Amino acid sequence: MSQAQATAFIRALAAANPSPRTELEYRDPFTLLVAVVLSAQTTDAAVNRATPALFAAAPTPAAMAALGEDGIAPYIRSIGLWQAKARNVAALSRLLVERHGGEVPRDREALEALPGVGRKTANVVLNVAFGESTMAVDTHIFRLGNRTGLAPGRTPREVEDMLVRRCPPELLRDAHHWLILHGRHVCKARMPECWRCVARAHCNHPDKAPLPPGR
């Protein structure tokens, strides 16, 4: 995909959804951080069903640390990998209290030093909680970048770096929302709904799905 195509692709998504937002439900940077950690390899909808009761019981890092791994676990058993996630949420909450005064740091290195927090999670928190122009590459964006030709890469970091280079700077802050939502709801893994794609004219995917019979 050429730079002109890439710009047109992203602008088409922007025009269709001028005010995108994460589908995770949260109250503040801490609850956002926990929700993103819990969302690894599971759906935002599943996380949103579990977190209201968890956040009511432990709305702050201190309260979550006091709840501990065993106290967190019953709230998130419906989520994949819940044992490891309970352990990570308890540990990162303790570190937020011990190292950061109970606040979520606005610093990539400090965020990535927390248990269960990798580059993608740090990018989401920096973007959504603190308004920074980061690109969080999840499985949806990785697939979309390679499928469409928008940002082909062998690793999430390669896709991220190319998207950052190709995205118009004024759109970068919201671009990961547009791309995640597009990958989740339109450019799906098994059957992309190309007939619904507002950026279809700019996409280089060679096997665009036709309109299903009866539609």
Side-chain angles (χ1 to χ4, degrees), residues 106-127:
R106 186 174 180 168
D107 176 81
R108 178 185 299 283
E109 185 176 355
L111 283 168
E112 291 187 23
L114 297 171
V117 178
R119 185 175 181 84
K120 185 207 78 173
T121 296
N123 276 338
V124 173
V125 172
L126 290 170
N127 182 286

Side-chain angles (χ1 to χ4, degrees), residues 29 51 53 77 81-82 85-86 116 122 128 149 157 165 173 177 182 196 199 207-208 210:
T51 51
R77 280 201 172 96
L81 306 175
W82 61 269
K85 291 176 181 179
V128 176
R157 183 60 188 271
R165 289 196 302 271
R173 179 180 173 184
H177 288 304
H182 194 64
R196 294 178 50 222
D207 300 313
K208 294 185 177 68

Side-chain angles (χ1 to χ4, degrees), residues 55-70:
F55 294 154
T60 66
M64 194 73 75
L67 201 58
E69 178 182 345
D70 291 341

Side-chain angles (χ1 to χ4, degrees), residues 37-125:
V37 169
L38 294 178
S39 71
Q41 299 183 51
T42 193
T43 66
D44 287 3
V47 174
N48 289 340
R49 288 192 292 269
T51 51
L54 175 63
F55 294 154
T60 66
M64 194 73 75
L67 201 58
E69 178 182 345
D70 291 341
I72 294 167
Y75 292 99
I76 64 169
R77 280 201 172 96
S78 60
I79 296 174
L81 306 175
W82 61 269
Q83 296 99 325
K85 291 176 181 179
R87 186 163 56 251
N88 285 335
V89 169
L92 73 83
S93 298
R94 287 194 299 272
L95 289 180
L96 289 178
V97 173
E98 294 168 4
R99 297 181 183 176
H100 304 288
E103 300 293 330
V104 175
R106 186 174 180 168
D107 176 81
R108 178 185 299 283
E109 185 176 355
L111 283 168
E112 291 187 23
L114 297 171
V117 178
R119 185 175 181 84
K120 185 207 78 173
T121 296
N123 276 338
V124 173
V125 172

Side-chain angles (χ1 to χ4, degrees), residues 104-209:
V104 175
R106 186 174 180 168
D107 176 81
R108 178 185 299 283
E109 185 176 355
L111 283 168
E112 291 187 23
L114 297 171
V117 178
R119 185 175 181 84
K120 185 207 78 173
T121 296
N123 276 338
V124 173
V125 172
L126 290 170
N127 182 286
V128 176
F130 301 119
E132 296 192 15
S133 296
T134 57
M135 175 61 65
V137 176
D138 69 347
T139 56
H140 298 295
I141 293 183
F142 184 78
R143 178 182 68 251
L144 186 153
N146 280 284
R147 174 187 278 165
T148 65
L150 177 64
R154 294 167 296 176
T155 66
R157 183 60 188 271
E158 287 182 2
V159 172
E160 176 188 337
D161 289 345
M162 182 168 282
L163 285 171
V164 169
R165 289 196 302 271
R166 287 189 149 189
C167 185
E170 72 276 13
L171 299 181
L172 183 55
R173 179 180 173 184
D174 287 331
H176 91 275
H177 288 304
W178 291 316
L179 294 169
I180 286 173
L181 294 172
H182 194 64
R184 183 178 292 161
H185 299 296
V186 179
C187 196
K188 301 175 182 179
R190 293 186 179 180
M191 180 61 71
E193 298 182 4
C194 300
W195 62 92
R196 294 178 50 222
C197 178
V198 297
R200 179 187 175 112
H202 315 294
C203 172
N204 282 352
H205 182 45
D207 300 313
K208 294 185 177 68

